[in-house]
Amino acid sequence: MELQKRQDQGLPQRKGQKRKLEEEIKDEQPGISPSPVDCSDARRAILAEVAVQVNILDSAFSWQEADRAAAKRATHVLADLAKNDEVVNVIVEGGAVPALVKHLQAPPSTEVDGNLRPFEHEVEKGSAFALGLLAVKPEHQQLIVDHGALPHLVDLLKRHTEGTTRAVTSVVRRSADAITNLAHENSNIKTRVRREGGIPPLVELLEFADTKVQRAAAGALRTLAFKNDENKNQVIPIVQIVECSALPTLILMLRSEDAAIHYEAVGVIGNLVHSSPNIKKEVLAAGALQPVIGLLSSCCSESQREAALLLGQFAATDSDCKVHIVQRGAVGPLIEMLQSSDVQLREMSAFALGRVAQDPHNQAGIAHNGGLVPLLKLLDSKNGSLQHNAAFALYGLADNEDNVSDFIRVGGIQKLQDGEFIVQVLKHLLYLMRVAEKAVQRRVALALAHLCAPDDQRVIFIDNGGLELLLGLLGSANMKQQLDGAIALYKLANKAMTLSPVDAAPPSPTPQVAFDIYLVVVVIGAIFMVYLGEKYVNNATLSDVTFLVEGRRFYAHRICLLASSDAFRAMFDGGYRLIRQFKMMPFYFPDQVTYFYLKQEKDARDIEIPNIRWEVFELMMRFIYTGSVNVALDVAQDLLRAADQYLLEALKRLCEYTIAQDISLDNVASMYELSESFHAISLRHTCILFILEHFDKLSAKPRHSYLIQRIIPDIRNYFGKALTKPDPHNLRL
C-alpha cells in the first residue's frame, strides 16, 4: 500500500515541476508561444529554428558580450519551445542537448576578456532550465546525462557560495530543478548524482536565504530519496542525505508558513521514512512527529495529504508511535480530512487511521471522536484503494469491544452488508458473542438486535445463541439489563414480522354464502365447509337437532354442524354426546382437557349444553352458519371459551383480536393468563409483545418479576419459530 502511494505520486509531481518551471520563466522572460506540431511543415519550421539556435550556441561560447547575449537568447528560445511536449522530441532531434550542456559551464577566460563577465550565470541558468524541460520526458534523461550534464549541474549548485544575487539564486534554482527531472524514477541517474557530489550542496541549499531555492533543493532531495522497485536495494543516496544532516533543517521547514516549503520538506521526509526502518527511527528521534501532525491542519491540501501518508508510515511498524500519534492530537484532523472533497486527502487520512487503529489503545478514541460514520461513508466510494483503506480502519475499530455497540449503532453492519467486508466483520462480532466475557457477549447481542438485517437474524440469534443472551438479560435481577433486553427483543420481533401486534382483524375463512341444504357436498368422505346462511340460524325449518341452552331450545342442522368442527363430528358421527370438563386449577393447558362421552342414540334430537349463556351460544352458532360475527368486548372472553370448547379456531381468532384491543398495563397479566387457559396463541403473542414494548412502565407494577419469569419460555418458543421460518416477513401474530 505504501509503495503504491509513493509510485502514484510520481506523475503528478513531474507535471507539477514542469508547470512550475513554465510559470517562473514566463515571469522572467516572455518568449515564443508554444504551438503544437500538427503537420510536416510546422515540424520542418521548428527543426529549422532549433538548428539556428544550436548554431548560435556552438559559435557563441566566449565571454564576449555579443556572444553571451546571443547564447542567452538562444537558451530562452529553446526553453520556450520545450514547454510544448510535442516539440521536445524535435528539439532533441535537432541536436540541442550537447549545445545546451556545453553552456552549463562558463566559457574559458582569456587575457583579452580580463575581468569582464557579461551575463554571468544567465546563460548557464537558461541552459539548465531548457535541459530540465527536455528531461521531463524519461526517454531523454539518459541522453542528457551521457553528454556530461550532471557534473556541470552540480558545479552550478555550488555557486551559492558566491552570494545571494538574483543571478546566483536563479542559476542554483534551475540546476536543482534540472537534477530533479533528470533523476525522476531513474535509479542509475540518482546514483550518478551521488557520485558527482550533488547531495551535499543540495542539503546546504535547504538553508539558503531564498525560499524558491529551498523549495527546489528539497524537491531534488525528495526525488533522490524516493525508493521504488528499481532502486529498492540502492539506499546509499538516501543514507547520504541523512548523513549530511538534512533532517534538522527539513524538520524546521515543516513549520514554515510557506506552503511550498513544508510540502517539499514533508515529501523528502516521507520518502526517507519509506526507504528504511532505521531512518524512520532517526526521523522520529529528530523530532519530526509533532510538526508532521501540525501539517494535518495546513491550508495546503498537498501538505495535509503528505503528512497523513507519513503518519501512516510512522504507525505501520511502531506500536509506541501509534499511541503517540493519537496522544499528540492527530485523530481529530484526520477525521476531518475523511470528509474532504479531495479524494486523495480522504484516502491518505483513511490510510493513517487504519494503521493507527491497529493498536488497541487507540481504537476507542477514534470511535469516540466520531471516526466511524465518515469511514463507513467511504465504503460507498468507487475508488478501490479508498474503500480498502476505510474497511481496514473499520476492521481495526471493530476489534475493540468498547466500540462494538457504537459500531453497530451507527449502521456499521448494514453498511458493510453491501460490500465485500460484511463476512469478515460479522464473523468477528459473532465470535465475540460466543467467546468473550458475558458482558461483552450481551453488548454484541443487544447491538445486533437493534441494527442487524432481517436476513441475518437466524444466524445471529438462533445459530449463534444471541437469543439466549437477550433472554438472560430479560431474566436478570438488574432492572437496567431487563429493560435493555426487553427493548432489544421488541426490536427483533418487529423485524420478524410485517404486522405490528394484532393490528388487523383476521378475515372470514370464506365469503358468506347461503346454500340450500341439498347443496352440501361430500367428496371421498371429507365434508367441505358449508355456510347455510343467516335465515337458518335457530330456524326450525328442516332442523334435525335441538340444543337446550339455559332451558331454551335452539334449532340446528346436523349437516352444518358436522362441517364446522371436529367437536361436532365427534358428537354426531360417533353417536356420542360430547361434554368438556375443565379441571379446577388456576391455569388451563391443552393436554389437561378431559373429553368424555355418554353413549346415546344417533338420532337423539335434544342435547343439553351446560355452562354457556344463551347469548354466547347464539353468537357461536351464528358464526357457524354465516362464517362471520361481530364480537363485542363484553362477550369476547365467554365466546372465546366456547370457541375453544368446540374447536372453532377461526372464531377464536376473532375473539382474540377483540380482546387484544383492550390490553392495558393494568390487565396484561390477566390477559396472558386467559391466553394460556384457552390456548389462544395470537392473544399470547400480543401480550408478550405488549409487555416487551411497555416494559419500563410495567416494571413498577406488582408481581412484575413473577410475570417476566413466567413468559420467558413462551418468548423463547415464539422467537424460535419466528426466526426459523423460511420467510419471516410473512409472519403475523
Side-chain angles (χ1 to χ4, degrees):
M1 170 59 71
E2 297 171 20
L3 179 59
Q4 184 63 41
K5 289 295 103 189
R6 288 291 167 190
Q7 288 175 332
D8 290 347
Q9 289 172 357
L11 187 57
Q13 179 182 340
R14 171 177 287 268
K15 290 182 177 178
Q17 176 70 13
K18 182 176 184 293
R19 183 174 61 252
K20 179 177 66 176
L21 294 174
E22 293 172 353
E23 291 172 351
E24 291 174 358
I25 194 62
K26 183 177 181 180
D27 293 337
E28 296 178 9
Q29 175 70 37
I32 301 173
S33 298
S35 57
V37 182
D38 55 2
C39 63
S40 58
D41 291 340
R43 176 183 174 81
R44 285 193 293 270
I46 293 172
L47 271 174
E49 179 65 26
V50 170
V52 170
Q53 305 307 324
V54 168
N55 184 57
I56 292 172
L57 291 175
D58 287 339
S59 61
F61 191 61
S62 76
W63 279 112
Q64 294 183 24
E65 185 171 357
D67 286 344
R68 295 293 286 174
K72 177 183 175 182
R73 284 194 302 272
T75 59
H76 281 223
V77 170
L78 291 174
D80 278 334
L81 288 172
K83 286 189 287 186
N84 186 338
D85 288 343
E86 297 181 14
V87 176
V88 168
N89 291 341
V90 181
I91 296 173
V92 173
E93 182 183 340
V97 169
L100 289 168
V101 170
K102 178 180 179 180
H103 281 269
L104 288 175
Q105 56 188 321
S109 298
T110 64
E111 294 182 2
V112 176
D113 297 330
N115 293 324
L116 297 177
R117 291 180 177 271
F119 302 106
E120 187 176 15
H121 308 301
E122 293 289 342
V123 179
E124 296 94 319
K125 178 193 74 174
S127 295
F129 180 67
L131 288 169
L133 288 174
L134 297 179
V136 168
K137 287 201 170 185
E139 59 267 32
H140 303 318
Q141 293 170 345
Q142 195 61 48
L143 175 66
I144 295 171
V145 171
D146 289 344
H147 277 87
L150 278 182
H152 300 316
L153 289 171
V154 171
D155 286 341
L156 293 178
L157 293 177
K158 297 176 182 178
R159 290 191 183 183
H160 71 90
T161 58
E162 299 178 17
T164 57
T165 64
R166 183 174 181 274
V168 170
T169 298
S170 295
V171 72
V172 170
R173 178 160 51 96
R174 297 306 181 199
S175 299
D177 289 340
I179 289 174
T180 299
N181 285 350
L182 283 170
H184 182 75
E185 294 188 354
N186 192 315
S187 58
N188 292 329
I189 294 178
K190 290 177 184 179
T191 301
R192 289 283 298 273
V193 172
R194 179 189 64 81
R195 289 176 179 171
E196 296 293 344
I199 291 177
L202 285 171
V203 173
E204 293 173 12
L205 289 172
L206 295 177
E207 301 183 30
F208 197 76
D210 188 276
T211 57
K212 291 183 178 180
V213 173
Q214 292 177 25
R215 183 177 65 181
L221 290 172
R222 177 179 182 168
T223 297
L224 295 172
F226 176 61
K227 185 178 72 170
N228 56 14
D229 289 337
E230 292 183 2
N231 69 329
K232 61 183 178 182
N233 297 320
Q234 301 179 25
V235 297
I236 295 178
I238 299 167
V239 172
Q240 190 176 11
I241 293 173
V242 177
E243 290 177 344
C244 288
S245 301
L247 288 180
T249 306
L250 288 169
I251 291 172
L252 286 175
M253 293 169 69
L254 293 177
R255 302 181 185 274
S256 171
E257 295 182 0
D258 188 329
I261 294 294
H262 57 62
Y263 167 67
E264 295 293 357
V266 73
V268 179
I269 294 173
N271 285 345
L272 291 173
V273 166
H274 178 61
S275 66
S276 165
N278 293 329
I279 291 179
K280 181 189 298 185
K281 293 178 181 179
E282 291 191 50
V283 169
L284 289 170
L289 183 57
Q290 195 60 53
V292 170
I293 291 174
L295 287 181
L296 296 177
S297 302
S298 169
C299 59
C300 173
S301 62
E302 292 177 325
S303 292
Q304 287 180 293
R305 184 186 70 228
E306 288 290 328
L309 176 60
L310 184 51
L311 289 175
Q313 293 173 317
F314 283 154
T317 57
D318 191 329
S319 296
D320 290 338
C321 190
K322 289 183 178 74
V323 176
H324 293 158
I325 289 171
V326 173
Q327 290 175 338
R328 298 193 183 192
V331 170
L334 285 171
I335 291 174
E336 289 183 12
M337 290 162 61
L338 290 175
Q339 303 166 72
S340 169
S341 58
D342 187 325
V343 175
Q344 287 188 323
L345 204 57
R346 295 199 301 271
E347 183 178 352
M348 290 301 99
S349 57
F351 170 77
L353 286 170
R355 272 62 192 168
V356 171
Q358 303 313 304
D359 188 277
H361 296 89
N362 300 333
Q363 292 158 353
I366 295 172
H368 178 73
N369 282 278
L372 288 177
V373 173
L375 283 170
L376 286 169
K377 289 182 178 178
L378 294 185
L379 295 180
D380 292 331
S381 171
K382 303 301 182 184
N383 183 312
S385 181
L386 177 56
Q387 192 182 54
H388 172 81
N389 281 323
F392 185 72
L394 286 168
Y395 179 73
L397 298 182
D399 192 45
N400 191 298
E401 62 187 43
D402 293 329
N403 289 339
V404 171
S405 296
D406 287 340
F407 184 83
I408 308 173
R409 177 178 55 78
V410 298
I413 291 296
Q414 293 93 320
K415 194 73 174 177
L416 292 176
Q417 278 183 319
D418 295 331
E420 60 185 276
F421 317 106
I422 179 60
V423 175
Q424 183 182 41
V425 176
L426 183 56
K427 281 185 177 179
H428 178 70
L429 295 174
L430 294 178
Y431 175 78
L432 286 178
M433 199 170 70
R434 291 193 305 270
V435 304
E437 296 179 359
K438 184 63 69 175
V440 176
Q441 290 179 330
R442 288 173 170 174
R443 282 206 301 272
V444 175
L446 285 171
L448 288 172
H450 282 279
L451 291 168
C452 73
D455 290 343
D456 290 327
Q457 289 181 115
R458 175 170 182 166
V459 171
I460 295 168
F461 296 100
I462 302 299
D463 299 344
N464 285 274
L467 178 61
E468 291 303 319
L469 291 169
L470 297 181
L471 292 175
L473 287 170
L474 191 64
S476 167
N478 182 297
M479 185 57 65
K480 173 65 167 58
Q481 290 185 353
Q482 288 182 15
L483 181 59
D484 287 343
I487 293 172
L489 286 166
Y490 183 70
K491 188 75 174 181
L492 197 61
N494 283 337
K495 292 181 183 182
M497 57 187 55
T498 55
L499 291 179
S500 57
V502 190
D503 57 356
S508 298
T510 60
Q512 181 177 339
V513 180
F515 292 92
D516 288 330
I517 291 178
Y518 61 83
L519 291 181
V520 174
V521 180
V522 179
V523 179
I524 316 180
I527 301 178
F528 285 80
M529 183 66 74
V530 174
Y531 301 108
L532 298 184
E534 180 74 25
K535 68 179 181 178
Y536 288 104
V537 177
N538 197 16
N539 189 332
T541 303
L542 300 178
S543 172
D544 54 2
V545 64
T546 304
F547 294 103
L548 297 177
V549 183
E550 292 185 337
R552 300 164 60 182
R553 281 188 170 84
F554 193 99
Y555 298 100
H557 306 81
R558 292 180 185 236
I559 191 65
C560 186
L561 299 175
L562 286 170
S564 65
S565 77
D566 290 337
F568 284 111
R569 283 194 286 277
M571 183 182 294
F572 298 119
D573 287 354
Y576 292 90
R577 179 161 56 93
L578 171 64
I579 299 177
R580 176 178 248 178
Q581 175 179 312
F582 293 95
K583 293 185 178 180
M584 299 303 294
M585 57 193 317
F587 310 109
Y588 160 81
F589 296 94
D591 59 348
Q592 292 174 319
V593 177
T594 299
Y595 292 102
F596 63 94
Y597 307 94
L598 297 179
K599 185 172 178 59
Q600 67 173 26
E601 298 301 325
K602 289 185 179 181
D603 58 354
R605 293 184 56 83
D606 294 337
I607 301 175
E608 184 177 356
I609 303 296
N611 303 321
I612 297 182
R613 292 186 290 126
W614 173 273
E615 178 186 8
V616 173
F617 188 80
E618 183 184 29
L619 286 171
M620 182 180 73
M621 298 303 287
R622 190 176 302 279
F623 179 81
I624 291 173
Y625 275 75
T626 66
S628 66
V629 69
N630 292 325
V631 181
L633 184 59
D634 58 347
V635 298
Q637 293 191 28
D638 288 341
L639 189 57
L640 174 65
R641 181 182 294 107
D644 182 56
Q645 179 175 338
Y646 289 95
L647 307 180
L648 299 169
E649 292 300 321
L651 180 58
K652 280 181 62 176
R653 290 294 304 278
L654 285 172
C655 296
E656 290 178 70
Y657 174 75
T658 299
I659 295 170
Q661 308 312 301
D662 191 43
I663 293 178
S664 67
L665 296 174
D666 295 326
N667 68 11
V668 66
S670 62
M671 293 294 189
Y672 182 77
E673 292 176 2
L674 182 70
S675 73
E676 285 189 312
S677 298
F678 301 112
H679 198 54
I681 302 299
S682 177
L683 180 59
R684 188 183 308 177
H685 290 169
T686 305
C687 290
I688 288 173
L689 295 182
F690 184 92
I691 292 169
L692 294 176
E693 182 181 10
H694 300 92
F695 193 90
D696 54 338
K697 297 176 182 177
L698 283 169
S699 61
K701 297 290 182 181
R703 296 173 61 83
H704 161 78
S705 297
Y706 173 75
L707 176 63
I708 296 306
Q709 295 300 327
R710 187 171 159 193
I711 70 172
I712 285 178
D714 280 333
I715 295 176
R716 180 182 289 108
N717 292 335
Y718 164 71
F719 280 106
K721 294 177 181 178
L723 299 183
T724 54
K725 291 207 173 188
D727 186 5
H729 297 287
N730 289 333
L731 294 176
R732 55 183 298 161
L733 290 171

